[in-house]
Amino acid sequence: MKILYLAHSRLPSDSANSIQVMHMCRALARNHSTVLFARPSSRHDSGLKSIFEYYHLPEVFEIILPPGSRLPGFDSINSYVWLFRALKNQKPDLCYGRHLKSVAAAAKMGFPVLYEAHELPKSRMEKLLIRQICKARSFIGMVFISNALKDEYTTIFPDLSPDRAVTAHDGINIDYMDRIKSWEDPLPGRAEAFRVGYVGGLRPEKGISLVLDIAGLLPEVDFHLVGGSKDEILFWQSRSRGMANIFFHGRVKPWRAVSYQRAFGLLLAPYQQMSWTKKDGRLAVVRDPDRFIGNSPLKYFEYMACQKPIITSDIPIAREVFTHGQDAVLLGENPADWAHWIVRLMQEPDRGRVLAENARHRALEFTWDKRAEKIMTTFDAHW
């Protein structure tokens, strides 16, 4: 089968979506001819080989990256011109993607489509496009990143048939992870201090406020945050002035992020219903009870593969992946509870080791290859 994977990811990039897309294409390419349609980043100046090297992946699938338009403001139009050209030239047996507009365009042109949903529709237009995709004669099905997200979609779109929907959590490439060693350069902070790590974006919903609150309760522990834009780092640094145990490392290449994870004694994934807002013209954080957290965090599976103790927020998606007390610790939003468990795992290394070993074993169930096989097998009857 010839698959055209439709993404909006910029390549190369340290973003979780670009990592997910590249690894999924590698997994699909094991049994199918696969072509990835994405967008070039400003770093793309050394040919496609450099992109595969950036993600430490073999060149087993093709990549199409539309060049930017020479006319200001025409990049989007130019991208769709290239998309239609790719559909016409590639003549794929399946268009599989997580970029809604591209998948909708492919369905409109009569190509078989699989749409992978990572979040709820944000507008009436997005809902309309999803309905159009589902009603298309060439519609194969939808892939959901979590059961929580699938449940929300079936409520919004009651006509979505159960046999056209499958949950497939994010995955991990164990061999790739195992080739990456722990960070060898000296880390900032105290050499003798216990190191707690967080790796990922620094948006409010990632729980950065909670990390700072926990750090305030544990001055004897060093907290390292890897990721985030310069503006985000500056914001959180302003919120943590006077705290000598908080260290921001900024964005790094995917393999470096893994090496950092291996260097920490414990890893955090503290999701919260929080969002950015503007207050008196300045960036601020506000509680957002309407925020739906239904994605399948890539960091879960990287953390698990790194075989480190994990503490995460007790949210529906976490319960789909972890069992509290068996392969992770699941907690609410009380910083004191998080601080308590960090100290407990510091003082009871055997307990932490068991959690980490169980998490590593659980990670073997979530490889990209198994994910791709599950998706393709589920829809066998609809090709």
Side-chain angles (χ1 to χ4, degrees), residues 2 34 50 58 72 129 149-150 170 174 203 214 263 319:
K2 189 168 188 177
T34 304
S50 67
L129 290 176
L149 186 61
K150 183 173 74 171
D170 259 336
I174 296 291
R203 297 184 300 279
I214 299 165
R319 291 179 224 123

Side-chain angles (χ1 to χ4, degrees), residues 248-301:
F248 294 90
H249 297 270
R251 286 176 173 163
V252 297
K253 292 181 178 180
W255 71 267
R256 284 186 178 270
V258 175
S259 69
Y260 271 114
Q261 292 170 29
R262 293 195 179 281
F264 304 139
L266 185 151
L267 295 165
L268 304 179
Y271 295 93
Q272 291 182 293
Q273 289 180 300
M274 310 285 278
S275 295
W276 291 121
T277 188
K278 281 288 184 73
K279 188 175 182 181
D280 298 328
R282 294 184 178 182
L283 203 60
V285 174
V286 64
R287 182 160 293 280
D288 186 358
D290 294 327
R291 173 172 285 280
F292 174 74
I293 304 176
N295 64 327
S296 181
L298 192 61
K299 68 167 57 62
Y300 277 175
F301 308 101

Side-chain angles (χ1 to χ4, degrees), residues 80-96:
Y80 284 108
V81 170
W82 275 77
L83 171 62
F84 294 137
R85 186 181 299 170
L87 289 167
K88 181 180 178 180
N89 294 340
Q90 296 291 331
K91 296 181 175 60
D93 301 305
L94 173 67
C95 291
Y96 175 10

Side-chain angles (χ1 to χ4, degrees), residues 187-214:
L187 290 171
R190 298 158 292 185
E192 73 284 0
F194 187 77
R195 293 169 177 153
V196 171
Y198 165 85
V199 180
L202 298 186
R203 297 184 300 279
E205 66 269 23
K206 303 298 183 179
I208 310 306
S209 294
L210 182 54
V211 175
L212 300 189
D213 290 341
I214 299 165

